[in-house]
Amino acid sequence: MSVFDYAVSAEVWGIDRTGAGVPRFELRRCGVRGSVAAASPGASVRATHGMDAVAGADLVVVPGGPDPVLDYPPDLLAALRAADRSGTPIAALCGAAFALGQAGLLRGRRATTHWMWIEELRKRFPDSVVEEEALFVNDGSLWTSAGTAAGIDLCLHLVRGAHGADTAAEIGRRMVTPPHRSGTQRQYIEAPVSGNDPFSDTLAWARENLHVPLTVRRLAARAGMSERTLARRFVQATGATPLRWLHDQRVQLAQRLLEGTDHPVEAVAHRAGFGSSAAMRRSFGRTLGVTPTEYRAAFRERGVD
């Protein structure tokens, strides 16, 4: 397997951060108990549990490998099929999408993988729906991610969904990762924003002013660019159009407010820049599959403050 994919999983769920308010997780390394798996390049990982321990997991994470065209062990494929039947979320990082395919779980389902292996995934599993313009993709209980850093995005997204924005943000700060990236962003960023880039000031200003109407014209004026240049720079720097980026930022702000405050839904909608609770409800439905009220209730039921 890829040492990076394993390391991401271990960094997110394998470190005790309860002192910072992060829930305590139990990370099980499942395989043939006591066996050692090669983690390329130049490392190894010892299994702490047998494959039977997969059955009791709340989440199954499958690291990718340096070569996606692997013959995955039958007991692993059987464990993935059983987890899928039970509705347990499965996150396949990078090339691990091929493991889901070998387990027969991609038939008729959406998935992605590293951009280098997109065509191979389509070729090997033609009955799946392979999406190349995405950092990560969800279909039912299955999650797949693009290469390398997209695995971090997916893992933090899963933490966010289960334990709230503050928990994901705390883990992200410890990992010194950039701000949350939506799964709908492109895999390849042509010109990432650096701290010295004047464009980064525009992004920071926009995040602080989501409650006011923000248009491409207004953002372009702030950045000192033409609207056409701004639109091109947005895609190069974030992998998203300005309007898509603003929408994702507003949804994330609304999530934080719903999780961490008792503000009425209408007030949250205005603070996040949706203008009305009806508009925010439509956005939540398209993006998260739930209403803002249902989202808040779900976190209250889990005891997330």
Side-chain angles (χ1 to χ4, degrees), residues 184-201:
T184 58
Q185 292 184 18
R186 292 184 178 181
Q187 290 194 20
Y188 180 69
I189 305 300
E190 298 177 36
V193 177
S194 69
N196 299 323
D197 190 336
F199 186 70
S200 66
D201 293 336

Side-chain angles (χ1 to χ4, degrees), residues 30-50:
C30 298
V32 177
R33 186 183 294 271
S35 64
V36 176
S40 178
S44 59
V45 177
R46 185 176 298 278
T48 58
H49 293 73

Side-chain angles (χ1 to χ4, degrees), residues 155-171:
C155 290
L156 291 179
H157 180 81
L158 292 170
V159 170
R160 183 187 184 93
H163 301 284
D166 288 345
T167 295
E170 179 60 34
I171 296 174

Side-chain angles (χ1 to χ4, degrees), residues 230-303:
L230 178 91
R232 183 174 65 251
R233 186 73 178 94
F234 246 92
V235 173
Q236 291 174 338
T238 71
T241 65
L243 294 181
R244 165 53 62 182
W245 184 87
L246 284 170
H247 173 268
D248 291 342
Q249 296 298 314
R250 287 184 164 124
V251 169
Q252 292 165 33
L253 175 57
Q255 287 177 289
R256 293 196 298 271
L257 293 172
L258 290 169
E259 294 166 16
T261 75
D262 291 320
H263 297 334
V265 170
E266 190 72 29
V268 170
H270 284 283
R271 175 64 186 85
F274 287 103
S276 69
S277 58
M280 185 168 73
R281 185 166 56 250
R282 288 193 294 272
S283 289
F284 265 57
R286 290 193 302 267
T287 306
L288 305 175
V290 295
T291 67
T293 301
E294 291 169 340
Y295 182 87
R296 170 175 273 171
F299 277 87
R300 296 296 165 86
E301 287 173 4
R302 297 173 194 164

Side-chain angles (χ1 to χ4, degrees), residues 84 122 130 175 299:
D84 185 59
R122 287 192 176 119
V130 179
M175 295 174 66
F299 277 87

Side-chain angles (χ1 to χ4, degrees), residues 1-2 5 51 61-81 92-104 113 117 121 124-125:
M1 61 182 172
S2 163
D5 288 357
M51 291 303 298
V61 182
V62 189
D67 180 359
V69 188
L70 300 172
D71 290 324
Y72 286 91
D75 56 348
L76 168 62
L77 301 180
L80 293 177
R81 286 190 287 267
L93 307 185
C94 196
F98 288 81
L100 300 186
Q102 287 186 30
T113 189
W117 301 329
L121 191 67
R124 287 181 170 266
F125 308 107

